[in-house]
Each structure stands twice: as structure tokens, then as C-alpha cells.
Amino acid sequence: MKVTVIGSGYVGLIAALGFGIKNNKVICVDKNKEKIKNLKKGIPIIYEKELDNYLKKCIEDKKITFSTDIKKGIRESNIIFIAVGTPPLNNGEVDMTQVKEVIRDISKYINEYKVVVNKSTVPIGTQKYMKRMLNNEGISNEYFDVVSNPEFLREGKAFEDFFNTDRIVIGYDSEKAKGVMGKLYKNFNRKIVYTNPETAELIKYASNGFLATKISFINEIANLCDEIGGNVEDISYALGLDKRISPLFLNAGIGFGGSCFPKDTKALVKIGEKYGVDFNIIKSTINVNNKQRIIPIKKLLNYYKDISGKIISVLGLTFKPGTDDIRESPAIYIINELIKNKAKVKCYDPNVSKTIKDKYPQIEYCNNLYDTFTNSSCAIFCTEWEEFSKLDLFKLKAKMKEPLIIDGRNIFNYEHIKKAKIKYFAIGRGYI
Ligand code: UGA
């Protein structure tokens, strides 16, 4: 099928390549000339496993073209995916500027029937709003249908999730559009949930809200474990054995970050407010997370009382392993607190580029993992990068001034810590 994807961000680029790999003819449009220039040359513009391979394959097999020409993108395909950014506004609502711009472009260039598909995470009612907008721009209903098709992929596992998604959700209000979408997804062989557009839009928020709640729930259990001498990992394991609960997203730690859970939980509260529904659970999920991400600071101050002038190492800056994304990363909140408490911060991340250096010029960046521990009074681990779990703890200890580890992701085997005689605090491992 002929598919255009507008927006080459995370969701857009993965979807464009994913549909290319599934044998469609794809045009990926972005107004950012630099991005398109690089993509045309096969240069990945974001960090994602397998991206370079899929990009190369789609270009070689002529399954994808990259363009800044939105007119061509709209005219040459019969399915137009909108995957532009929907960042949060300061008040927690969603900034729809880019979606509106695309709708205006569609109304300008539309020449025959198109299915316009929304992949961005957007407020409930957006499908109807988009229809109204197109009508108001003079486009009558026989020229288009608007479908909601939210995306559930995770950064770092984007292609795996795109191709093997647990479900494809399609919110439609026309049989013609349903048929087109069903045909597009036929060779995915995944479960498809057909529903009305409002429900599809809400499924996305409900899904992220629920997963975030699962994390905050287990984090509160972990905090209790720390007080009673419990073991949160055993609790997660036992909970996960109950099929009604599922073992996934029950890893206790220093909370969730990234561009999705923090934004979507806030947006869900706002959506609830708009319709007179008080989202107490989601509000608590957010509150728990706000406190959880600075728990290492609480533990650190509890131990040292005063950390001014002490060198503190922060390991892992991204919001999770397998990405270079530091948006809403708990590590950033921890660094801010350390700076507030006048500590000297030394950082290391296997994947974060120099760009963060401009944001925090006062902190030291180490290119070598072991250099991060030199003269340090505490090493705070914020992300469970694989190389951290393989650290030589004796070497680490030898470099530190005072051997203290705060393990924000329960990375280390306690037997190894014990052997190396390192003071150790973790999350929900109160039995230690
Ligand atoms: C999340 C959802 O998992 C995707 O399904 C969704 O498509 C995406 O948001 C989105 O809305 O675009 P993502 O933000 O890439 O994906 O990352 P996750 O793997 O879900 O992790 C989010 C945060 O939760 C990370 O900071 C991670 O460290 C934390 N987390 C996750 C935990 O603290 N414990 C867990 O057990 C799992």
C-alpha cells in the first residue's frame, strides 16, 4: 500500500520503516531538512537498536523515500499517518500545534480520498476535532476518514514492539477506513482491537497510566520493604506468578522517566478534570514517582548528613538503558539535588552525548567508567546499563575515597557487594 508518515521522530520513523519492511511503499516527511538529508543517506538520526539495518534495507529495496515535500507526501499516498510531536504544555495539557499544522497542509493538498491516521498521543476527542478542522477548511467527508491508531512501542525495543505488538488498536467511524486499516495490518498477524475513536485515544492513556501505576505501586512496596527488612524482588516475583498481575513492570527503582509516562499521566489527570472525573490513582502515581526519583538523595543525606564538597558519582543518565534519551530522567533530578547540596558531581553514561555538558557545565563527565569513582564518596547508580552489573567491585572500591554505593535499580548481586566490603543501599532490599 502507499503510506505517508508525517514526522520522523521516534514513533514516525519507526512506523515508516516498519511499514516499509512490511512491503508497503512509504514516504516519510519531515520539515527538518537536516534530518531528511541524513535519513536519505541512511544515517540514523536517533539511537535505536536495529535502526541502521532497517534504514539501509528499506532504502536499498526502494521501500522508503524521505522528503521535506509535504504536498508530495499527501498526494502520492492513500494512507497518511500523523506522527508529529505532542509535547506537554506547562499546565500538563497537550500542545497540538504541530498536529493542527499538518491538518491544514492536508486540507491544502488533498486531491482524492485519504485515510488520515493519528499515531501521536493526543487528547480524547482529537479524531472528531481533526474531522471538524478538515470540514472547516472546506474538505467534505467523502474525501477523507480520520482514524486513531495509537502506538505502544518502547524506546530501545521499538522494532521488536512494532512488529510483535500485543495488540493493534484502531479507532474508526467508517467501514471504508476500517477496511483500509485492516488491509494495512493484515500481514502483521497481531490481535486487532477495533473500536470507536474516543476509546482508541483513551486506550493509549489508560495503558501508559496503568503501567506507570504498577511501577509506583511496587516502589511504595519497596519503600516499605526497606523499613521492615523485606525483599521487594521476591515480592515482585511472587506477584508476577499470579497470571492476573503479570511479572512485567514490577521492577522497583527510582521511578519512571522518559517522554511518555510522565507526560501521559499528567495529561490523563487534565483530561479527567475536563470531564469532571477526579483521577486520584493517577495523581498518586505521579506523587509517588516525584518522591521516588530522589530517594538516593534521602539515603545519602541520611548517611552523611552534609555532602558539601564531597565528590559524588552518578552512573547512568538516560531514563532507562538502551536509549540516549535523558528526558525526565531520574538521574537529572538527582544531579540537580546534588548540586543544590553543594556536592561535586562526576557523571558517566555509556550513551549520552556531549550535549548534556552544555546544560550542566559545572559537573564533570568521565569517558571511562572507572575514572568516575576516583576520590568519590558515593556512587549512585541510576540506570541499569549492562556494563554496570559487570563492574569489578574491588577495582571500584580501590578508586573511591569512601566506598558507598546507592543502587537505584537493584543492579548488584549482594553477595558480590558483601565480598568487596562496600557500604550498600538499594531500593526495597531492606533485608540487607
Ligand atoms: C512507554 C510504554 O512502555 C510504551 O508502551 C509506550 O508506547 C511509550 O511509553 C509511549 O507512550 O510512547 P518508554 O517510555 O519507551 O515506553 O519506556 P518504558 O520501557 O515503558 O520505561 C518507562 C520508565 O519506567 C523508565 O524510566 C523505566 O526505567 C521505568 N520502569 C519500567 C521501572 O521503573 N520499572 C519497571 O518495572 C519498568
Side-chain angles (χ1 to χ4, degrees):
M1 297 175 92
K2 287 184 170 174
V3 177
T4 286
V5 179
I6 301 172
S8 68
Y10 230 101
V11 169
L13 185 56
I14 307 295
L17 293 170
F19 288 128
I21 293 289
K22 288 282 182 188
N23 264 333
N24 300 286
K25 263 226 155 335
V26 181
I27 306 174
C28 180
V29 179
D30 200 297
K31 56 184 177 185
N32 185 321
K33 288 188 186 130
E34 195 57 33
K35 276 187 175 181
I36 293 298
K37 204 171 101 191
N38 283 327
L39 287 168
K40 275 183 176 168
K41 288 190 211 151
I43 301 171
I45 50 169
I46 49 172
Y47 177 85
E48 181 61 47
K49 206 164 64 189
E50 309 257 46
L51 176 59
D52 42 356
N53 290 339
Y54 285 128
L55 185 56
K56 222 169 111 200
K57 185 161 176 29
C58 281
I59 294 174
E60 273 171 15
D61 296 351
K62 298 198 169 24
K63 291 291 177 205
I64 200 162
T65 50
F66 294 98
S67 176
T68 50
D69 185 354
I70 192 147
K71 181 175 169 188
K72 172 183 144 98
I74 292 164
R75 296 232 158 139
E76 291 187 10
S77 294
N78 25 31
I79 310 176
I80 318 283
F81 276 88
I82 301 180
V84 291
T86 49
L89 291 165
N90 284 340
N91 64 2
E93 283 176 17
V94 179
D95 183 353
M96 293 287 286
T97 315
Q98 295 180 55
V99 175
K100 287 182 198 168
E101 241 174 68
V102 174
I103 290 292
R104 263 181 230 114
D105 284 331
I106 293 175
S107 65
K108 234 192 279 170
Y109 301 124
I110 197 165
N111 52 339
E112 56 186 353
Y113 175 78
K114 312 274 172 195
V115 178
V116 178
V117 189
N118 197 9
K119 257 227 174 292
S120 306
T121 304
V122 289
I124 318 298
T126 296
Q127 185 265 3
K128 285 225 158 59
Y129 174 80
M130 283 163 65
K131 282 178 78 171
R132 262 198 322 273
M133 242 188 111
L134 283 164
N135 289 151
N136 291 343
E137 297 284 337
I139 313 298
S140 61
N141 287 346
E142 77 244 32
Y143 275 94
F144 71 90
D145 278 306
V146 181
V147 166
S148 165
N149 172 215
E151 184 51 63
F152 299 101
L153 59 82
R154 287 164 294 175
E155 288 186 24
K157 293 199 166 104
F159 287 104
E160 193 184 314
D161 285 352
F162 187 79
F163 294 125
N164 305 311
T165 180
D166 292 328
R167 75 298 205 193
I168 291 160
V169 173
I170 294 171
Y172 72 101
D173 59 3
S174 112
E175 287 302 321
K176 192 172 174 185
K178 182 186 178 190
V180 171
M181 294 305 287
K183 197 171 158 202
L184 176 68
Y185 279 115
K186 195 161 188 272
N187 63 355
F188 279 66
N189 292 321
R190 311 309 296 172
K191 263 200 184 114
I192 301 185
V193 180
Y194 289 105
T195 183
N196 68 30
E198 291 72 23
T199 310
E201 288 161 354
L202 186 52
I203 287 172
K204 170 70 192 191
Y205 284 105
S207 173
N208 276 359
F210 189 81
L211 291 169
T213 302
K214 238 181 141 178
I215 298 169
S216 278
F217 176 82
I218 201 66
N219 283 339
E220 285 214 306
I221 296 287
N223 296 343
L224 185 57
C225 282
D226 277 339
E227 298 306 319
I228 61 156
N231 180 347
V232 75
E233 286 153 308
D234 287 350
I235 294 180
S236 294
Y237 177 64
L239 286 178
L241 289 175
D242 186 330
K243 287 188 193 66
R244 294 169 302 175
I245 297 176
S246 125
L248 304 177
F249 278 69
L250 282 178
N251 294 324
I254 50 172
F256 57 80
S259 63
C260 305
F261 287 174
K263 163 177 84 92
D264 292 349
T265 44
K266 276 187 216 144
L268 194 48
V269 171
K270 277 280 158 197
I271 293 165
E273 272 170 18
K274 187 171 162 197
Y275 294 98
V277 175
D278 196 1
F279 262 117
N280 281 312
I281 288 183
I282 299 294
K283 280 187 200 163
S284 300
T285 294
I286 297 169
N287 285 337
V288 170
N289 198 56
N290 289 345
K291 287 187 199 140
Q292 196 69 18
R293 58 193 173 199
I294 50 166
I295 277 212
I297 300 294
K298 240 175 98 184
K299 292 188 191 256
L300 182 64
L301 291 175
N302 208 11
Y303 185 71
Y304 281 129
K305 311 296 178 237
D306 181 9
I307 54 166
S308 63
K310 280 191 190 293
I311 296 177
I312 308 294
S313 321
V314 177
L315 290 301
L317 303 175
T318 54
F319 79 98
K320 66 172 185 179
T323 171
D324 59 354
D325 195 342
I326 57 162
R327 282 178 288 178
E328 288 292 321
S329 173
I332 302 302
Y333 287 89
I334 287 170
I335 290 173
N336 284 336
E337 289 298 313
L338 290 172
I339 293 171
K340 242 194 258 166
N341 282 280
K342 300 192 173 56
K344 289 186 185 154
V345 182
K346 259 186 165 183
C347 288
Y348 173 83
D349 187 283
N351 218 13
V352 169
S353 66
K354 292 184 208 101
T355 47
I356 190 181
K357 284 185 187 168
D358 303 334
K359 210 169 159 203
Y360 294 97
Q362 67 273 59
I363 61 181
E364 192 186 329
Y365 290 86
C366 300
N367 293 321
N368 178 299
L369 173 56
Y370 285 97
D371 287 349
T372 325
F373 306 113
T374 309
N375 292 328
S376 169
S377 293
C378 176
I380 305 178
F381 287 83
C382 299
T383 315
E384 65 276 34
W385 283 103
E386 211 186 322
E387 67 180 284
F388 297 161
S389 60
K390 294 182 184 146
L391 265 165
D392 177 341
L393 294 173
F394 289 94
K395 198 168 154 191
L396 171 152
K397 185 183 172 187
K399 294 220 162 223
M400 290 183 84
K401 188 175 173 195
E402 296 161 281
L404 166 66
I405 285 182
I406 300 183
D407 183 354
R409 298 286 177 190
N410 294 342
I411 300 166
F412 295 103
N413 177 319
Y414 184 56
E415 288 309 311
H416 298 167
I417 296 276
K418 220 161 56 181
K419 257 194 220 144
K421 295 198 172 66
I422 294 174
K423 182 82 196 156
Y424 179 74
F425 300 121
I427 308 289
R429 288 174 157 182
Y431 64 98
I432 290 170

